[in-house]
Amino acid sequence: MSESCFLWVAVLAHLFAFLLYSTAGRHKPVFYYTISTLTAILSFIAAAVLAIKGKPLIIEVFQITRHVGIAFGLDKITLMFALLCSLLSIPATIYAISYMYAIKGKRKARFFARIHLSLAITMLLAFSGNLLTMFIFYELLTLATYTLVNHDNTENSFRAARIYLAYLVLPSVGLLLPAILITYKITGSFTFDESLHISIVGLPRLALFLMFAYGTAKTAIFPLHGWLPKAMIAPTPVSALLHAVAVVKAGIFCMLKVAKYVFTISDPANVILMTPITCIYAFTIIFASVVALKKHSLKEILAYSTVSQLSYIGITLSIFTENAFNYAILYMVLHAFAKITLFFTAGAMYARTGKTSSKQLHGIGREMPVAMSSFSIGALTMIGLPPTATLLCKADILSEALAQCNYILIVTLVISTALNCGYFLPIIFNAFFCEPIVAPATGNTMTRQKLDPLALSYFFTGSICVVLFIYKFF
């Protein structure tokens, strides 16, 4: 099979599940487990084959001129993002099915169909071969996940979904699209290659970068971060999808592509970008960390943690060196596994005990040791403590920042790490070393046996966090 066949398999596998679920009636769990698991694994295998072959590829689907049209292609960033999304889609879909049955969720087939549609669009975004294609699937991903945020179909979920849509669509139409058109006006190209490099310098260069940065509001830079905590009203599998597999990673992916091809990482003209961009991301990191410190809802803590951690990737990019670019990609991968583990475990604890507040989790480590151990690994990864690879990745980032005399970044990461300890470590300590709080459960409670598939999902992703530490260390 040619590379193009594997590319389409990686996408069409999820589209097949979407179409099947959209037309299917009520079925037993084994039906959903079988379809979702097989399609997710097939998508990952196809992405893995593409990564192993590693050959450049351009597929023109619809062409108007030489540089204008819908196209797909492969490069280092594309393959890394596609591999990450397709791998995490396996535990994400298994978890979604298990969770919805654990809480007796409604409209399951529709929910699973929308999950797979979002994953298919994410894969199409990953394989985008030019800025125009990237923008189209960036927007389609917003629309697809909007329906997931509003899945419960309540007044609160509808309000949150409208905020979600406004925060993501208005900046992309008002800033990202004009930035793409300006880039085309300057370079005469949309294609992700050397022809896309811009030659402008000084303040116009800074303005264009800011248009891209704020236009991709999925990266949740202050003050365009408000959609992310609001979207936490969605079921936990959606939160995991938003934070680790699709939405926020899509924003980071777009900025990585823009930084590499439009601004060219090693271009000396980027020196004007370093200080202002570092300051914007630094403020977002500290602000979100302080807000997380004041929250008690577990999902809100994790939401603001995501806002902070995403800007870790952005602030690393602001160093504008090849090493920093590679560290940003690595941190994106590490964050994905850690954050999905945290949401998986938070959802499992809610499904079993009905508890949603960090104040309610005293002693839960004795009742759910695997879940809380996995949560602890995810939390330690977010902080950057052993045995997690972010410890080593942060050391690399700090070393690169020191070499470039970027002291704002160094101070920011040190302060943020301390704040991360402030809101994660008490949860872990109380869960394992405090007496349980006797209080009536507020949600759906299920038996341990019915949560086994949930445990499989977070045990897998938590274990990967440790494996990545061992791999990077040696």
Side-chain angles (χ1 to χ4, degrees):
M1 292 178 65
S2 65
E3 284 81 359
S4 60
C5 292
F6 286 107
L7 186 152
W8 291 120
V9 168
V11 174
L12 295 178
H14 288 294
L15 282 179
F16 169 77
F18 163 70
L19 293 173
L20 190 60
Y21 288 159
S22 297
T23 57
R26 296 180 65 181
H27 289 277
K28 292 183 178 180
V30 66
F31 170 79
Y32 299 114
Y33 279 124
T34 302
I35 298 302
S36 289
T37 303
L38 289 180
T39 53
I41 290 175
L42 184 60
S43 178
F44 171 68
I45 291 174
V49 170
L50 290 172
I52 292 171
K53 289 190 173 185
K55 295 181 181 178
L57 175 69
I58 293 293
I59 302 175
E60 298 284 351
V61 177
F62 177 75
Q63 193 170 12
I64 300 174
T65 68
R66 180 183 176 187
H67 294 293
V68 180
I70 306 300
F72 300 98
L74 299 177
D75 63 12
K76 176 184 175 181
I77 311 171
T78 290
L79 291 172
M80 180 64 73
F81 185 56
L83 270 175
L84 178 67
C85 293
S86 58
L87 176 58
L88 287 178
S89 71
I90 301 173
T93 51
I94 293 174
Y95 181 91
I97 297 168
S98 307
Y99 182 87
M100 292 302 284
Y101 273 95
I103 66 168
K104 297 183 175 69
K106 299 178 180 179
R107 302 183 300 277
K108 297 183 185 68
R110 183 188 301 178
F111 180 77
F112 304 146
R114 290 169 176 174
I115 289 281
H116 281 281
L117 177 62
S118 299
L119 290 169
I121 295 173
T122 303
M123 295 301 289
L124 286 167
L125 173 65
F127 293 124
S128 298
N130 60 43
L131 282 171
L132 184 62
T133 307
M134 182 188 81
F135 176 79
I136 291 171
F137 289 108
Y138 178 92
E139 291 294 272
L140 288 176
L141 181 59
T142 301
L143 299 177
T145 49
Y146 162 82
T147 61
L148 286 170
V149 174
N150 191 36
H151 175 74
D152 289 338
N153 203 26
T154 64
E155 183 179 345
N156 288 336
S157 67
F158 181 65
R159 187 184 302 113
R162 282 190 301 174
I163 293 172
Y164 177 82
L165 202 62
Y167 265 90
L168 297 187
V169 172
L170 293 179
S172 62
V173 173
L175 293 173
L176 178 59
L177 182 58
I180 291 172
L181 295 177
I182 290 171
T183 301
Y184 179 73
K185 178 69 174 178
I186 295 171
T187 65
S189 174
F190 287 122
T191 307
F192 288 128
D193 57 26
E194 61 278 358
S195 67
L196 199 59
H197 174 60
I198 59 167
S199 57
I200 59 174
V201 297
L203 291 179
R205 190 180 189 89
L206 174 60
L208 185 61
F209 189 92
L210 290 175
M211 289 177 69
F212 275 111
Y214 280 101
T216 52
K218 289 183 173 72
T219 57
I221 307 175
F222 180 90
L224 299 182
H225 67 285
W227 65 269
L228 208 155
K230 294 291 185 183
M232 292 304 96
I233 197 172
T236 301
V238 177
S239 300
L241 185 76
L242 297 181
H243 287 248
V245 184
V247 177
V248 299
K249 293 302 179 293
I252 291 297
F253 167 76
C254 291
M255 282 308 299
L256 288 170
K257 296 282 277 192
V258 166
K260 179 176 176 62
Y261 291 106
V262 177
F263 292 89
T264 309
I265 293 298
S266 56
D267 191 330
N270 290 330
V271 67
I272 193 174
L273 305 179
M274 183 182 294
T275 300
I277 299 304
T278 298
C279 289
I280 291 170
Y281 284 118
F283 180 82
T284 303
I285 290 170
I286 301 301
F287 164 79
S289 298
V290 170
V291 174
L293 202 59
K294 298 178 180 180
K295 297 294 181 180
H296 300 296
S297 167
L298 196 54
K299 289 185 75 173
E300 282 193 297
I301 292 172
L302 296 182
Y304 281 101
S305 169
T306 298
V307 174
S308 176
Q309 294 288 328
L310 289 177
S311 285
Y312 271 54
I313 303 169
I315 204 170
T316 302
L317 268 179
S318 71
I319 303 175
F320 288 104
T321 64
E322 287 294 336
N323 285 338
F325 182 76
N326 292 329
Y327 299 150
I329 295 175
L330 175 60
Y331 203 91
M332 177 182 72
V333 174
L334 300 177
H335 176 268
F337 280 100
K339 188 60 68 172
I340 203 169
T341 301
L342 289 169
F343 274 103
F344 281 172
T345 52
M349 288 185 282
Y350 167 73
R352 181 160 179 201
T353 68
K355 297 175 180 178
T356 59
S357 172
S358 60
K359 291 184 174 182
Q360 299 173 320
L361 300 182
H362 290 58
I364 200 171
R366 305 173 194 177
E367 184 181 356
M368 302 180 67
V370 177
M372 201 59 219
S373 296
S374 299
F375 181 93
S376 300
I377 291 172
L380 293 176
T381 303
M382 291 293 90
I383 297 170
L385 298 177
T388 63
T390 46
L391 170 69
L392 306 176
C393 187
K394 278 189 175 182
D396 289 335
I397 294 170
L398 290 172
S399 176
E400 192 69 17
L402 186 61
Q404 301 299 318
C405 300
N406 194 332
Y407 300 112
I408 298 174
L409 188 156
I410 296 171
V411 172
T412 300
L413 260 60
V414 171
I415 295 174
S416 177
T417 299
L419 292 172
N420 292 342
C421 291
Y423 59 79
F424 274 129
L425 293 185
I427 297 175
I428 298 172
F429 179 85
N430 293 337
F432 285 109
F433 300 106
C434 290
E435 290 297 321
I437 296 176
V438 180
T442 57
N444 299 287
T445 59
M446 301 296 291
T447 62
R448 182 185 299 271
Q449 287 74 20
K450 292 189 177 182
L451 291 180
D452 282 344
L454 294 182
L456 182 64
S457 297
Y458 55 70
F459 179 78
F460 170 75
T461 55
S463 299
I464 293 294
C465 291
V466 179
V467 169
L468 288 171
F469 168 76
I470 296 171
Y471 173 78
K472 181 161 176 57
F473 186 81
F474 291 103

